Amino acid sequence: RRSDTMSAYKKMLVAIDLTEEAPQVLNKAKAVSEAHGAELMLVHVVEPVGYAYGGDIPMDLTELQDQLDKAAREQLGTYGDQYGVAKNNQVVTVGRPESEIHRLAKEQEVDLVIVG
């Protein structure tokens, strides 16, 4: 039985890159969140397509960006369901991973960030 003392972590953010290593990261994060009775937030940051190409391509990348975004949401949703993470705690955002994770952690008052 868990004691009623204040837990070190109340809200955890786990940022994953959707590679085959993601489940290992999620298993650890889930275990830590359960041990602390913490809420788990699942995050994936989609980098803007232009970054990968140095922003020098003349073509419109909106459609490609939308496809990446949609694929990421579906994959994150699958993991969310698998690991019991509420839909409102599944976040796919576009930007630079380090700044987006930092922004979300501050915004959501996250106590622990796990990056995998």
Side-chain angles (χ1 to χ4, degrees):
R1 182 169 118 58
R2 238 179 77 235
S3 68
D4 293 328
T5 55
M6 296 252 314
S7 170
Y9 308 123
K10 285 190 177 59
K11 191 163 190 177
M12 293 170 47
L13 183 156
V14 59
I16 55 171
D17 60 4
L18 306 179
T19 60
E20 55 276 5
E21 279 89 45
Q24 294 170 308
V25 176
L26 286 167
N27 285 331
K28 287 197 173 98
K30 181 81 175 155
V32 174
S33 76
E34 283 172 354
H36 289 272
E39 189 181 344
L40 197 57
M41 197 176 161
L42 199 48
V43 176
H44 175 70
V45 183
V46 178
E47 291 200 59
V49 182
Y51 283 0
Y53 300 100
D56 288 339
I57 4 192
M59 59 196 257
D60 181 18
L61 299 170
T62 315
E63 199 174 316
L64 179 58
Q65 190 73 60
D66 289 346
Q67 285 173 347
L68 290 172
D69 205 47
K70 185 174 181 284
R73 281 178 204 285
E74 284 170 10
Q75 183 63 62
L76 201 75
T78 303
Y79 283 135
D81 294 346
Q82 227 176 317
Y83 290 87
V85 177
K87 283 277 179 232
N88 62 323
N89 273 343
Q90 298 174 22
V91 180
V92 171
T93 181
V94 177
R96 291 190 96 77
E98 60 279 14
S99 49
E100 284 302 300
I101 291 165
H102 185 256
R103 178 185 64 78
L104 283 165
K106 278 184 80 164
E107 238 172 55
Q108 301 291 324
E109 296 178 352
V110 167
D111 304 302
L112 178 68
V113 175
I114 297 173
V115 180

Short mmCIF file of all heavy atoms in Angstrom, two decimals, residues 53-83:
data_model
loop_
_atom_site.label_atom_id
_atom_site.label_comp_id
_atom_site.label_asym_id
_atom_site.label_seq_id
_atom_site.Cartn_x
_atom_site.Cartn_y
_atom_site.Cartn_z
N TYR A 53 15.51 19.82 -45.02
CA TYR A 53 16.06 20.17 -46.32
C TYR A 53 16.68 21.56 -46.31
O TYR A 53 16.86 22.17 -47.35
CB TYR A 53 14.95 20.10 -47.39
CG TYR A 53 14.34 18.73 -47.49
CD1 TYR A 53 13.13 18.44 -46.88
CD2 TYR A 53 15.01 17.71 -48.16
CE1 TYR A 53 12.58 17.17 -46.97
CE2 TYR A 53 14.47 16.44 -48.24
CZ TYR A 53 13.26 16.18 -47.65
OH TYR A 53 12.72 14.92 -47.72
N GLY A 54 16.96 22.06 -45.13
CA GLY A 54 17.61 23.36 -45.03
C GLY A 54 16.72 24.51 -45.48
O GLY A 54 17.17 25.63 -45.66
N GLY A 55 15.45 24.23 -45.67
CA GLY A 55 14.49 25.28 -46.03
C GLY A 55 14.69 25.85 -47.43
O GLY A 55 14.14 26.87 -47.77
N ASP A 56 15.47 25.16 -48.27
CA ASP A 56 15.77 25.68 -49.60
C ASP A 56 14.90 25.13 -50.72
O ASP A 56 15.13 25.41 -51.88
CB ASP A 56 17.24 25.40 -49.96
CG ASP A 56 18.17 26.27 -49.16
OD1 ASP A 56 17.72 27.32 -48.67
OD2 ASP A 56 19.34 25.90 -49.02
N ILE A 57 13.91 24.31 -50.36
CA ILE A 57 13.15 23.74 -51.46
C ILE A 57 11.97 24.62 -51.82
O ILE A 57 11.27 25.08 -50.95
CB ILE A 57 12.56 22.36 -51.15
CG1 ILE A 57 12.81 21.94 -49.75
CG2 ILE A 57 12.95 21.34 -52.11
CD1 ILE A 57 12.47 20.50 -49.61
N PRO A 58 11.78 24.82 -53.10
CA PRO A 58 10.69 25.70 -53.54
C PRO A 58 9.30 25.08 -53.41
O PRO A 58 8.31 25.78 -53.37
CB PRO A 58 11.02 25.94 -55.02
CG PRO A 58 11.83 24.75 -55.41
CD PRO A 58 12.57 24.31 -54.20
N MET A 59 9.22 23.74 -53.32
CA MET A 59 7.90 23.11 -53.33
C MET A 59 7.14 23.32 -52.02
O MET A 59 7.73 23.57 -50.98
CB MET A 59 8.01 21.64 -53.64
CG MET A 59 8.88 20.88 -52.67
SD MET A 59 9.37 19.30 -53.34
CE MET A 59 8.27 18.23 -52.46
N ASP A 60 5.82 23.17 -52.11
CA ASP A 60 4.97 23.31 -50.94
C ASP A 60 4.99 22.01 -50.14
O ASP A 60 4.65 20.95 -50.66
CB ASP A 60 3.54 23.65 -51.38
CG ASP A 60 2.62 23.83 -50.19
OD1 ASP A 60 3.12 24.02 -49.07
OD2 ASP A 60 1.39 23.78 -50.39
N LEU A 61 5.41 22.10 -48.90
CA LEU A 61 5.56 20.89 -48.09
C LEU A 61 4.39 20.66 -47.15
O LEU A 61 4.42 19.76 -46.33
CB LEU A 61 6.86 20.99 -47.28
CG LEU A 61 8.14 21.10 -48.10
CD1 LEU A 61 9.32 21.44 -47.22
CD2 LEU A 61 8.40 19.80 -48.85
N THR A 62 3.35 21.47 -47.30
CA THR A 62 2.21 21.38 -46.38
C THR A 62 1.60 19.99 -46.37
O THR A 62 1.32 19.44 -45.31
CB THR A 62 1.11 22.41 -46.77
OG1 THR A 62 1.75 23.65 -47.03
CG2 THR A 62 0.11 22.58 -45.66
N GLU A 63 1.42 19.42 -47.55
CA GLU A 63 0.78 18.10 -47.63
C GLU A 63 1.64 17.03 -46.96
O GLU A 63 1.14 16.20 -46.21
CB GLU A 63 0.55 17.74 -49.11
CG GLU A 63 -0.49 16.64 -49.27
CD GLU A 63 -0.84 16.38 -50.73
OE1 GLU A 63 -1.02 17.35 -51.48
OE2 GLU A 63 -0.91 15.19 -51.08
N LEU A 64 2.94 17.08 -47.22
CA LEU A 64 3.86 16.13 -46.61
C LEU A 64 3.84 16.29 -45.09
O LEU A 64 3.80 15.32 -44.34
CB LEU A 64 5.28 16.32 -47.16
CG LEU A 64 6.37 15.42 -46.59
CD1 LEU A 64 6.04 13.94 -46.79
CD2 LEU A 64 7.71 15.74 -47.22
N GLN A 65 3.86 17.54 -44.62
CA GLN A 65 3.83 17.83 -43.19
C GLN A 65 2.55 17.26 -42.57
O GLN A 65 2.59 16.65 -41.51
CB GLN A 65 3.90 19.35 -42.96
CG GLN A 65 4.11 19.73 -41.51
CD GLN A 65 5.52 19.45 -41.02
OE1 GLN A 65 6.47 20.00 -41.55
NE2 GLN A 65 5.66 18.60 -40.03
N ASP A 66 1.43 17.45 -43.26
CA ASP A 66 0.15 16.93 -42.76
C ASP A 66 0.16 15.42 -42.66
O ASP A 66 -0.37 14.84 -41.71
CB ASP A 66 -1.01 17.38 -43.66
CG ASP A 66 -1.30 18.87 -43.54
OD1 ASP A 66 -0.80 19.50 -42.58
OD2 ASP A 66 -2.03 19.40 -44.40
N GLN A 67 0.78 14.76 -43.67
CA GLN A 67 0.86 13.30 -43.65
C GLN A 67 1.71 12.82 -42.48
O GLN A 67 1.34 11.86 -41.79
CB GLN A 67 1.47 12.78 -44.96
CG GLN A 67 0.50 12.84 -46.13
CD GLN A 67 1.17 12.49 -47.46
OE1 GLN A 67 2.39 12.44 -47.57
NE2 GLN A 67 0.36 12.27 -48.48
N LEU A 68 2.85 13.48 -42.26
CA LEU A 68 3.73 13.11 -41.14
C LEU A 68 3.00 13.29 -39.81
O LEU A 68 3.09 12.46 -38.91
CB LEU A 68 5.01 13.96 -41.15
CG LEU A 68 5.99 13.68 -42.28
CD1 LEU A 68 7.10 14.72 -42.28
CD2 LEU A 68 6.58 12.28 -42.16
N ASP A 69 2.30 14.39 -39.72
CA ASP A 69 1.53 14.74 -38.53
C ASP A 69 0.47 13.68 -38.24
O ASP A 69 0.33 13.19 -37.12
CB ASP A 69 0.86 16.10 -38.79
CG ASP A 69 0.57 16.85 -37.52
OD1 ASP A 69 1.47 16.91 -36.67
OD2 ASP A 69 -0.56 17.35 -37.39
N LYS A 70 -0.26 13.30 -39.29
CA LYS A 70 -1.34 12.31 -39.17
C LYS A 70 -0.76 10.95 -38.76
O LYS A 70 -1.29 10.28 -37.86
CB LYS A 70 -2.07 12.20 -40.51
CG LYS A 70 -3.28 11.30 -40.50
CD LYS A 70 -4.00 11.38 -41.85
CE LYS A 70 -5.24 10.51 -41.88
NZ LYS A 70 -4.93 9.07 -42.02
N ALA A 71 0.34 10.55 -39.41
CA ALA A 71 0.98 9.27 -39.09
C ALA A 71 1.46 9.25 -37.64
O ALA A 71 1.29 8.26 -36.93
CB ALA A 71 2.14 9.01 -40.04
N ALA A 72 2.04 10.37 -37.20
CA ALA A 72 2.53 10.47 -35.82
C ALA A 72 1.38 10.37 -34.83
O ALA A 72 1.48 9.70 -33.81
CB ALA A 72 3.29 11.78 -35.64
N ARG A 73 0.27 11.05 -35.13
CA ARG A 73 -0.90 11.00 -34.24
C ARG A 73 -1.45 9.58 -34.12
O ARG A 73 -1.81 9.14 -33.03
CB ARG A 73 -2.02 11.93 -34.76
CG ARG A 73 -1.77 13.36 -34.42
CD ARG A 73 -2.85 14.29 -34.97
NE ARG A 73 -2.31 15.63 -35.13
CZ ARG A 73 -2.08 16.46 -34.13
NH1 ARG A 73 -2.36 16.10 -32.89
NH2 ARG A 73 -1.56 17.65 -34.34
N GLU A 74 -1.50 8.88 -35.25
CA GLU A 74 -2.00 7.50 -35.24
C GLU A 74 -1.09 6.60 -34.40
O GLU A 74 -1.55 5.83 -33.57
CB GLU A 74 -2.12 6.95 -36.67
CG GLU A 74 -3.33 7.50 -37.40
CD GLU A 74 -3.34 7.16 -38.89
OE1 GLU A 74 -2.51 6.33 -39.34
OE2 GLU A 74 -4.18 7.75 -39.61
N GLN A 75 0.21 6.72 -34.63
CA GLN A 75 1.18 5.90 -33.90
C GLN A 75 1.15 6.22 -32.40
O GLN A 75 1.16 5.32 -31.56
CB GLN A 75 2.58 6.13 -34.47
CG GLN A 75 3.66 5.27 -33.85
CD GLN A 75 3.46 3.78 -34.10
OE1 GLN A 75 3.45 3.33 -35.23
NE2 GLN A 75 3.28 3.02 -33.04
N LEU A 76 1.10 7.50 -32.09
CA LEU A 76 1.06 7.91 -30.68
C LEU A 76 -0.23 7.42 -30.03
O LEU A 76 -0.21 6.97 -28.89
CB LEU A 76 1.17 9.44 -30.57
CG LEU A 76 1.64 9.93 -29.20
CD1 LEU A 76 3.14 9.67 -29.04
CD2 LEU A 76 1.36 11.40 -29.02
N GLY A 77 -1.32 7.46 -30.79
CA GLY A 77 -2.61 6.98 -30.29
C GLY A 77 -2.57 5.49 -29.97
O GLY A 77 -3.11 5.05 -28.95
N THR A 78 -1.89 4.73 -30.81
CA THR A 78 -1.73 3.30 -30.59
C THR A 78 -0.97 3.05 -29.29
O THR A 78 -1.39 2.25 -28.46
CB THR A 78 -0.98 2.64 -31.77
OG1 THR A 78 -1.70 2.90 -32.97
CG2 THR A 78 -0.83 1.14 -31.59
N TYR A 79 0.14 3.76 -29.11
CA TYR A 79 0.92 3.63 -27.87
C TYR A 79 0.10 4.10 -26.67
O TYR A 79 0.13 3.49 -25.61
CB TYR A 79 2.21 4.44 -27.95
CG TYR A 79 3.30 3.79 -28.78
CD1 TYR A 79 4.04 4.52 -29.70
CD2 TYR A 79 3.61 2.44 -28.63
CE1 TYR A 79 5.04 3.93 -30.46
CE2 TYR A 79 4.61 1.85 -29.38
CZ TYR A 79 5.33 2.59 -30.29
OH TYR A 79 6.31 2.00 -31.02
N GLY A 80 -0.63 5.19 -26.87
CA GLY A 80 -1.46 5.73 -25.78
C GLY A 80 -2.46 4.70 -25.29
O GLY A 80 -2.61 4.49 -24.09
N ASP A 81 -3.13 4.04 -26.24
CA ASP A 81 -4.12 3.02 -25.89
C ASP A 81 -3.44 1.84 -25.19
O ASP A 81 -3.92 1.34 -24.18
CB ASP A 81 -4.85 2.51 -27.15
CG ASP A 81 -5.69 3.59 -27.80
OD1 ASP A 81 -5.94 4.64 -27.15
OD2 ASP A 81 -6.10 3.41 -28.96
N GLN A 82 -2.31 1.44 -25.75
CA GLN A 82 -1.55 0.30 -25.21
C GLN A 82 -1.09 0.54 -23.78
O GLN A 82 -1.08 -0.38 -22.97
CB GLN A 82 -0.31 0.11 -26.09
CG GLN A 82 -0.02 -1.29 -26.52
CD GLN A 82 1.18 -1.32 -27.45
OE1 GLN A 82 1.32 -0.48 -28.34
NE2 GLN A 82 2.05 -2.26 -27.24
N TYR A 83 -0.70 1.78 -23.47
CA TYR A 83 -0.14 2.08 -22.16
C TYR A 83 -1.12 2.85 -21.26
O TYR A 83 -0.72 3.37 -20.23
CB TYR A 83 1.18 2.86 -22.32
CG TYR A 83 2.27 1.97 -22.86
CD1 TYR A 83 2.43 1.80 -24.24
CD2 TYR A 83 3.11 1.26 -22.02
CE1 TYR A 83 3.40 0.96 -24.76
CE2 TYR A 83 4.08 0.40 -22.52
CZ TYR A 83 4.22 0.25 -23.89
OH TYR A 83 5.18 -0.59 -24.38
#
